[in-house]
PDB file of all heavy atoms in Angstrom:
ATOM      1  N   SER A 247      12.306  26.590  -9.692  1.00  0.00           N
ATOM      2  CA  SER A 247      11.905  27.445  -8.578  1.00  0.00           C
ATOM      3  C   SER A 247      11.595  26.554  -7.386  1.00  0.00           C
ATOM      4  O   SER A 247      10.740  25.658  -7.482  1.00  0.00           O
ATOM      5  CB  SER A 247      10.685  28.282  -8.957  1.00  0.00           C
ATOM      6  OG  SER A 247      10.222  29.033  -7.849  1.00  0.00           O
ATOM      7  N   VAL A 248      12.307  26.783  -6.280  1.00  0.00           N
ATOM      8  CA  VAL A 248      12.071  26.038  -5.039  1.00  0.00           C
ATOM      9  C   VAL A 248      12.211  26.970  -3.855  1.00  0.00           C
ATOM     10  O   VAL A 248      12.784  28.047  -3.975  1.00  0.00           O
ATOM     11  CB  VAL A 248      13.058  24.854  -4.889  1.00  0.00           C
ATOM     12  CG1 VAL A 248      12.842  23.807  -5.961  1.00  0.00           C
ATOM     13  CG2 VAL A 248      14.496  25.361  -4.899  1.00  0.00           C
ATOM     14  N   SER A 249      11.743  26.528  -2.700  1.00  0.00           N
ATOM     15  CA  SER A 249      11.871  27.341  -1.488  1.00  0.00           C
ATOM     16  C   SER A 249      13.226  27.136  -0.835  1.00  0.00           C
ATOM     17  O   SER A 249      13.799  28.055  -0.258  1.00  0.00           O
ATOM     18  CB  SER A 249      10.754  26.983  -0.501  1.00  0.00           C
ATOM     19  OG  SER A 249       9.494  27.208  -1.064  1.00  0.00           O
ATOM     20  N   GLY A 250      13.722  25.907  -0.915  1.00  0.00           N
ATOM     21  CA  GLY A 250      14.994  25.587  -0.288  1.00  0.00           C
ATOM     22  C   GLY A 250      16.017  25.186  -1.330  1.00  0.00           C
ATOM     23  O   GLY A 250      16.072  25.749  -2.422  1.00  0.00           O
ATOM     24  N   ASN A 251      16.822  24.213  -0.981  1.00  0.00           N
ATOM     25  CA  ASN A 251      17.793  23.701  -1.948  1.00  0.00           C
ATOM     26  C   ASN A 251      17.148  22.627  -2.812  1.00  0.00           C
ATOM     27  O   ASN A 251      16.263  21.915  -2.368  1.00  0.00           O
ATOM     28  CB  ASN A 251      19.005  23.120  -1.207  1.00  0.00           C
ATOM     29  CG  ASN A 251      19.825  24.211  -0.544  1.00  0.00           C
ATOM     30  OD1 ASN A 251      20.049  25.263  -1.127  1.00  0.00           O
ATOM     31  ND2 ASN A 251      20.245  23.976   0.683  1.00  0.00           N
ATOM     32  N   PRO A 252      17.597  22.518  -4.044  1.00  0.00           N
ATOM     33  CA  PRO A 252      16.970  21.544  -4.952  1.00  0.00           C
ATOM     34  C   PRO A 252      17.784  20.281  -5.169  1.00  0.00           C
ATOM     35  O   PRO A 252      19.009  20.274  -5.052  1.00  0.00           O
ATOM     36  CB  PRO A 252      16.916  22.334  -6.260  1.00  0.00           C
ATOM     37  CG  PRO A 252      18.203  23.109  -6.247  1.00  0.00           C
ATOM     38  CD  PRO A 252      18.469  23.452  -4.777  1.00  0.00           C
ATOM     39  N   TYR A 253      17.060  19.214  -5.451  1.00  0.00           N
ATOM     40  CA  TYR A 253      17.634  18.089  -6.166  1.00  0.00           C
ATOM     41  C   TYR A 253      17.146  18.260  -7.609  1.00  0.00           C
ATOM     42  O   TYR A 253      15.960  18.498  -7.835  1.00  0.00           O
ATOM     43  CB  TYR A 253      17.120  16.745  -5.629  1.00  0.00           C
ATOM     44  CG  TYR A 253      17.730  16.289  -4.327  1.00  0.00           C
ATOM     45  CD1 TYR A 253      17.106  15.311  -3.565  1.00  0.00           C
ATOM     46  CD2 TYR A 253      18.931  16.801  -3.846  1.00  0.00           C
ATOM     47  CE1 TYR A 253      17.644  14.853  -2.373  1.00  0.00           C
ATOM     48  CE2 TYR A 253      19.478  16.355  -2.652  1.00  0.00           C
ATOM     49  CZ  TYR A 253      18.836  15.380  -1.922  1.00  0.00           C
ATOM     50  OH  TYR A 253      19.371  14.928  -0.743  1.00  0.00           O
ATOM     51  N   LEU A 254      18.037  18.098  -8.562  1.00  0.00           N
ATOM     52  CA  LEU A 254      17.684  18.311  -9.962  1.00  0.00           C
ATOM     53  C   LEU A 254      18.029  17.087 -10.789  1.00  0.00           C
ATOM     54  O   LEU A 254      19.047  16.430 -10.549  1.00  0.00           O
ATOM     55  CB  LEU A 254      18.439  19.535 -10.498  1.00  0.00           C
ATOM     56  CG  LEU A 254      18.002  20.869  -9.890  1.00  0.00           C
ATOM     57  CD1 LEU A 254      19.109  21.899  -9.984  1.00  0.00           C
ATOM     58  CD2 LEU A 254      16.734  21.362 -10.569  1.00  0.00           C
ATOM     59  N   PHE A 255      17.202  16.793 -11.757  1.00  0.00           N
ATOM     60  CA  PHE A 255      17.334  15.580 -12.555  1.00  0.00           C
ATOM     61  C   PHE A 255      17.098  15.905 -14.032  1.00  0.00           C
ATOM     62  O   PHE A 255      16.329  16.807 -14.372  1.00  0.00           O
ATOM     63  CB  PHE A 255      16.291  14.526 -12.136  1.00  0.00           C
ATOM     64  CG  PHE A 255      16.296  14.177 -10.682  1.00  0.00           C
ATOM     65  CD1 PHE A 255      15.658  14.991  -9.754  1.00  0.00           C
ATOM     66  CD2 PHE A 255      16.912  13.023 -10.239  1.00  0.00           C
ATOM     67  CE1 PHE A 255      15.652  14.673  -8.400  1.00  0.00           C
ATOM     68  CE2 PHE A 255      16.905  12.692  -8.890  1.00  0.00           C
ATOM     69  CZ  PHE A 255      16.277  13.514  -7.968  1.00  0.00           C
ATOM     70  N   TRP A 256      17.725  15.108 -14.896  1.00  0.00           N
ATOM     71  CA  TRP A 256      17.387  15.077 -16.308  1.00  0.00           C
ATOM     72  C   TRP A 256      17.042  13.637 -16.684  1.00  0.00           C
ATOM     73  O   TRP A 256      17.749  12.694 -16.308  1.00  0.00           O
ATOM     74  CB  TRP A 256      18.541  15.555 -17.185  1.00  0.00           C
ATOM     75  CG  TRP A 256      18.613  17.044 -17.344  1.00  0.00           C
ATOM     76  CD1 TRP A 256      19.458  17.912 -16.721  1.00  0.00           C
ATOM     77  CD2 TRP A 256      17.803  17.847 -18.206  1.00  0.00           C
ATOM     78  NE1 TRP A 256      19.225  19.188 -17.126  1.00  0.00           N
ATOM     79  CE2 TRP A 256      18.214  19.187 -18.045  1.00  0.00           C
ATOM     80  CE3 TRP A 256      16.778  17.571 -19.119  1.00  0.00           C
ATOM     81  CZ2 TRP A 256      17.638  20.243 -18.745  1.00  0.00           C
ATOM     82  CZ3 TRP A 256      16.205  18.623 -19.817  1.00  0.00           C
ATOM     83  CH2 TRP A 256      16.635  19.940 -19.627  1.00  0.00           C
TER      84      TRP A 256
END
Side-chain angles (χ1 to χ4, degrees):
Chain A
S247 175
V248 295
S249 300
N251 290 318
Y253 283 162
L254 292 156
F255 305 81
W256 276 102

